[in-house]
Amino acid sequence: MHARIRIAMLAVAALFALALPYQATAISAVTVTQDSLTPTTAVPGSPTTATLKLHSSACITVLQVGVAVRDSAGNNYDFPGAIANPLICPSGYTLTTGSRTFPAGTYTESGFYLDATGYHNLTQVTLTVASSGTPGDPTRGKTLTFAEEFNSPITYGSRWVAGTTSAYQYGTHNPNDDKLDWLNPANITYANGLASFTAQPSTHTLENGKQAWNTGLLTTEGSTQGFQIKTGDYIETSVSMPSGLGAWPALWSWKNGDTEVDKFEYHPDNPNLLELTNHVNAAQDYYTNSGAVGPNCFVKIGAVYGATSVDWYVNGVKVFSDGKGVGTSFSAYIILNLSVDAGTWHPAPSNSNPISFSADYVHVWR
């Protein structure tokens, strides 16, 4: 055999041998999970970047990580700047892409990774590209005055209080509201830029004889900052909805019993529905969207506390105006929590498995 051919064959064999360990790792039981993906809104023609947060069940090096975008016709609008050979670990991995522009429209956006077995698309979110600076933009003319990013564990007391609220009859629990909750700060954890609320069966027994579930609640009530949302403010959060029956996450306001406005309530037995409710001046909408709302999918939800109308937004699009509002002197504390249904209006948990949901941020513009 010619010497050059022999050398070339040996080189190919060596490369193949080097590839085998990587392939063995890639096809193992390692799981890659998308924790969050932003943005979910953009302005037509304006340069936009994406931020993708991932973690894995064990450290693994993949061939590529990036952010894929498709329009309604399936055309490719991927963000540039996919990263080659990143190491993804349980502690998390963050990719910030290069920038690109988009025409106005609605797009499907998801993180992806490439390994030896091929491309793997992660959780899809909706990217809405629409003009800003118009009366329809809920942040128009406002300043970001409250920004909780959940990038690190919270030292309770300054901004947030956990474990008690005046919205609950007994401070830590509220069985008369069809809830199995028993509040415990330990049931809120922080990792990969997310706050995760987990509910699990408790050793406590409620006054009605039912077994309680330990769960988490954050409120600005009782904190030293004492932040309150006011008339004209726009509040927004990005959350991943739970899948376990009995889960009842919500973002709402509360003070003195007459200031409750539910930015959203969610129940997995109605997997594509958000309950949007003004309890100050009674109004409600059941917003249903199978493309934007569902278990284990991140969705951005916000509301403007207007004096004459509360306006709700989902993924940057106004979906409901109640025409009632909260009046000119409204103020109330913020509550973000995971409740557990007791079974009167929605099913209680069907087993003792923990249930959870995650929040990426809470923002208020004023």
Side-chain angles (χ1 to χ4, degrees), residues 198-242:
T198 300
Q200 54 198 146
S202 171
T203 58
H204 296 289
T205 301
L206 299 172
E207 283 72 11
N208 57 17
K210 295 183 178 181
Q211 181 187 21
W213 279 55
N214 288 336
T215 190
L217 177 148
L218 291 176
T219 179
T220 56
E221 180 185 16
S223 67
T224 56
Q225 294 181 14
F227 183 86
Q228 297 184 51
I229 194 163
K230 299 179 179 181
T231 301
D233 288 356
Y234 173 66
I235 185 170
E236 181 181 277
T237 188
S238 176
V239 294
S240 177
M241 295 304 181

Side-chain angles (χ1 to χ4, degrees), residues 165-167 221 228 253-260 331-333 335:
T165 171
S166 66
E221 180 185 16
Q228 297 184 51
S253 57
W254 178 268
K255 187 176 69 173
N256 302 328
D258 59 356
T259 52
E260 182 178 351
S331 66
Y333 301 106
I335 297 178

Side-chain angles (χ1 to χ4, degrees), residues 34-35 123 194 238-242 249 294-299 356-360:
Q34 177 175 302
D35 297 309
T123 304
L194 302 173
S238 176
V239 294
S240 177
M241 295 304 181
N296 305 313
C297 293
F298 270 91
V299 57
S356 62
F357 97 111
S358 298
D360 189 22

Side-chain angles (χ1 to χ4, degrees), residues 140-350:
R140 180 175 181 259
K142 302 181 188 297
T143 300
L144 185 62
T145 59
F146 183 96
E148 177 58 73
E149 308 294 345
F150 299 123
N151 286 331
S152 60
I154 290 174
T155 301
Y156 296 120
S158 176
R159 170 174 284 178
W160 295 106
V161 168
T164 184
T165 171
S166 66
Y168 281 16
Q169 180 180 1
Y170 299 99
T172 58
H173 55 290
N174 196 25
N176 290 335
D177 194 25
D178 197 44
K179 293 180 177 181
L180 300 179
D181 307 12
W182 197 287
L183 302 183
N184 188 337
N187 287 75
I188 310 172
T189 57
Y190 304 90
N192 307 313
L194 302 173
S196 295
F197 298 70
T198 300
Q200 54 198 146
S202 171
T203 58
H204 296 289
T205 301
L206 299 172
E207 283 72 11
N208 57 17
K210 295 183 178 181
Q211 181 187 21
W213 279 55
N214 288 336
T215 190
L217 177 148
L218 291 176
T219 179
T220 56
E221 180 185 16
S223 67
T224 56
Q225 294 181 14
F227 183 86
Q228 297 184 51
I229 194 163
K230 299 179 179 181
T231 301
D233 288 356
Y234 173 66
I235 185 170
E236 181 181 277
T237 188
S238 176
V239 294
S240 177
M241 295 304 181
S243 58
L245 285 180
W248 182 0
L251 176 66
W252 45 304
S253 57
W254 178 268
K255 187 176 69 173
N256 302 328
D258 59 356
T259 52
E260 182 178 351
V261 176
D262 300 325
K263 267 65 68 181
F264 80 90
E265 295 176 273
Y266 179 80
H267 302 274
D269 55 307
N270 293 318
N272 306 124
L273 183 148
L274 297 175
E275 297 179 18
L276 316 175
T277 309
N278 180 354
H279 292 279
V280 178
N281 293 303
Q284 184 176 58
D285 184 62
Y286 289 155
Y287 172 75
T288 303
N289 185 335
S290 60
V293 180
N296 305 313
C297 293
F298 270 91
V299 57
K300 186 174 70 175
I301 307 166
V304 175
Y305 278 71
T308 58
S309 182
V310 178
D311 299 334
W312 279 265
Y313 291 76
V314 174
N315 290 332
V317 177
K318 187 190 293 186
V319 298
F320 176 52
S321 296
D322 68 14
K324 298 291 186 68
V326 293
T328 58
S329 58
F330 176 92
S331 66
Y333 301 106
I334 300 170
I335 297 178
L336 176 66
N337 75 305
L338 173 61
S339 282
V340 182
D341 282 294
T344 300
W345 298 295
H346 295 273
S350 58

